[in-house]
Amino acid sequence: MPAYVVTWIHLLAVITFIGGWLFFLLAVRPSLLEGKAKTPSKEALEMAQKMGQRFKTVGWVSLIVLVFTGASQLLDESGSARIETSWGLIMMLKLFVFAIVGGLIFVHDLILDPYGAIGKSQRAETQPLLFAGKVVWVQRSIVMLSLLVLGIAVYLSSL
Ligand code: HEM
């Protein structure tokens, strides 16, 4: 497969992954709480649950595509002089931060699972897990670190 097609698929996975997480953090989450409501309505929660469950699959597929297209691009680089320069070191930093993002996604989707928990909570009285501090901070960290990986990648492509 031509290298530009692999890069295109790599960037498509980046757009889907980071775009999806930003949409949840900046659009879905704030619109769950209307006006002064401290807890979202049952309907709003159910909608968030459906979207969260569906994006869980989209997110994991994007991550797997990132790893495969990234590895393919790395293989293209293997043996090139560039890998022995600061480029190689910064690429390792990119992969290190990406690994942390992967770990946080694992914790978010498989341990905390805030969208899976919605069905089980008593809804009206208890604050859904989705709004628990630990979930908010894991989601924010995933977005911030993914944007950092993007920044490192863009810097790398300028080298
Ligand atoms: C959130 C995760 C990731 C983001 C945001 C990201 C972003 C990018 C971007 C923007 C480019 C530049 C495309 C270009 O203009 O040439 C790129 C290239 C590349 N990425 Fe990623 N990437 C991610 C994950 C990965 C992973 C997991 C790997 C390795 C397994 C990887 C390896 C590469 C390689 C080898 C290149 C080509 C570098 C070059 O030719 O300069 N990326 N990535």
Side-chain angles (χ1 to χ4, degrees):
M1 190 187 289
Y4 68 85
V5 175
V6 177
T7 304
W8 180 78
I9 298 170
H10 193 71
L11 293 177
L12 189 60
V14 167
I15 294 165
T16 309
F17 179 74
I18 296 183
W21 276 97
L22 278 172
F23 176 69
F24 266 90
L25 213 62
L26 302 177
V28 175
R29 172 176 286 283
S31 32
L32 281 176
L33 293 176
E34 284 116 30
K36 291 199 177 40
K38 283 282 163 274
T39 50
S41 67
K42 189 161 145 282
E43 294 70 29
L45 269 181
E46 271 159 14
M47 194 57 209
Q49 183 193 17
K50 285 198 189 98
M51 292 197 285
Q53 297 287 45
R54 184 173 285 268
F55 184 68
K56 198 191 277 190
T57 316
V58 174
W60 280 102
V61 170
S62 312
L63 274 187
I64 292 162
V65 170
L66 276 168
V67 170
F68 278 98
T69 53
S72 159
Q73 292 180 103
L74 266 181
L75 280 176
D76 287 353
E77 287 292 336
S78 58
S80 81
R82 201 159 66 147
I83 217 140
E84 309 294 331
T85 65
S86 59
W87 186 91
L89 211 58
I90 300 167
M91 175 56 76
M92 288 309 120
L93 174 67
K94 176 185 171 184
L95 298 184
F96 174 68
V97 179
F98 176 75
I100 298 173
V101 171
L104 286 172
I105 300 268
F106 182 88
V107 169
H108 179 273
D109 286 357
L110 304 175
I111 298 173
L112 295 174
D113 191 15
Y115 298 108
I118 288 177
K120 304 183 196 84
S121 70
Q122 289 82 22
R123 294 212 190 120
E125 51 284 343
T126 58
Q127 180 70 306
L129 178 61
L130 191 54
F131 290 87
K134 60 186 173 188
V135 170
V136 175
W137 275 108
V138 168
Q139 291 185 346
R140 285 184 183 149
S141 309
I142 290 168
V143 170
M144 298 315 285
L145 289 173
S146 300
L147 291 173
L148 175 60
V149 175
L150 182 62
I152 297 170
V154 171
Y155 173 68
L156 268 173
S157 65
S158 72
L159 290 182

